[in-house]
Amino acid sequence: KDVDALTPYNAGLLMSGRAKLVSCTPMGMMMLLKEYVGALSGLPALVISRSLLFGKPAAQLLLAANATVTMAHSRSRDLPGLCRNADILVAAIGKPYFVKGDWVKAGATVIDVGINRVDAGDGKMKIVGDVDYDEAVKIAGAITSVPGGIGATTIVNLMRNTLIAACLQSGLPVPAI
């Protein structure tokens, strides 16, 4: 049962706008954006990720909300310039502190999906994001932290997908959630 919504079948349904189950972290991103940004129609959004797990589903959901979406990756030309044009900046490439504060457009909403372990000294590790939070928080209008940001919405959507899948499998109506 694909409650993570990562199989080719569910990815195809998402692509065609008919998904019942949606990849959990990208859906969590959309929940945050709808709550804190509101209407996304026409807003320039940059997704720095091309992964099947997050980047491609995130871009599809942003497109479905009528955002103007650009997908990029760590080797994209003029990535800082692309970032500076985005009202919504999403980073999920697995490189600690990759997105610098001066890459962020003033007032932009920044969603950091990266989870990276770095040396914290004394033989300990700490978890940090793909965005240099300490720099970006001074410029962004809103920003998620790592840890403590997008993770909770991922879990909510995993539970949501589990309920939907159980209803579909049992022939029950899917509740409006």
Side-chain angles (χ1 to χ4, degrees):
K1 312 313 171 215
D2 185 29
V3 294
D4 286 316
L6 299 175
T7 63
Y9 175 78
N10 278 316
L13 289 175
L14 178 62
M15 181 73 76
S16 67
R18 299 179 297 137
K20 300 263 191 276
L21 303 175
V22 178
S23 186
C24 300
T25 304
M27 187 62 183
M29 171 198 74
M30 294 304 293
M31 288 171 62
L32 288 174
L33 289 172
K34 286 179 183 176
E35 178 71 23
Y36 294 100
V37 176
L40 305 179
S41 186
L43 292 179
L46 176 67
V47 178
I48 309 173
S49 174
R50 53 185 168 184
S51 71
L52 293 174
L53 177 66
F54 180 81
K56 291 176 181 178
Q60 283 303 127
L61 290 171
L62 287 163
L63 280 171
N66 297 316
T68 302
V69 180
T70 301
M71 288 186 74
H73 48 80
S74 62
R75 295 188 183 123
S76 292
R77 288 188 184 169
D78 191 22
L79 188 53
L82 292 172
C83 291
R84 287 184 197 108
N85 287 319
D87 287 330
I88 300 167
L89 174 58
V90 183
I93 58 172
K95 294 185 179 217
Y97 308 120
F98 183 78
V99 176
K100 305 302 178 201
D102 65 352
W103 295 14
V104 176
K105 179 179 180 179
T109 300
V110 180
I111 307 285
D112 191 346
V113 184
I115 297 182
N116 308 285
R117 287 171 178 76
V118 298
D119 186 3
D122 296 333
K124 297 180 181 177
M125 302 296 281
K126 68 177 180 176
I127 296 174
V128 301
D130 291 346
V131 177
D132 189 330
Y133 182 87
D134 291 340
E135 290 181 7
V137 72
K138 298 172 188 170
I139 299 160
I143 186 170
T144 60
S145 62
V146 176
I150 197 83
T153 63
T154 299
I155 295 166
V156 165
N157 283 296
L158 185 59
M159 294 174 72
R160 176 185 178 276
N161 280 353
T162 301
L163 175 62
I164 292 169
C167 290
L168 292 171
Q169 191 173 37
S170 301
L172 299 171
V174 175
I177 47 176

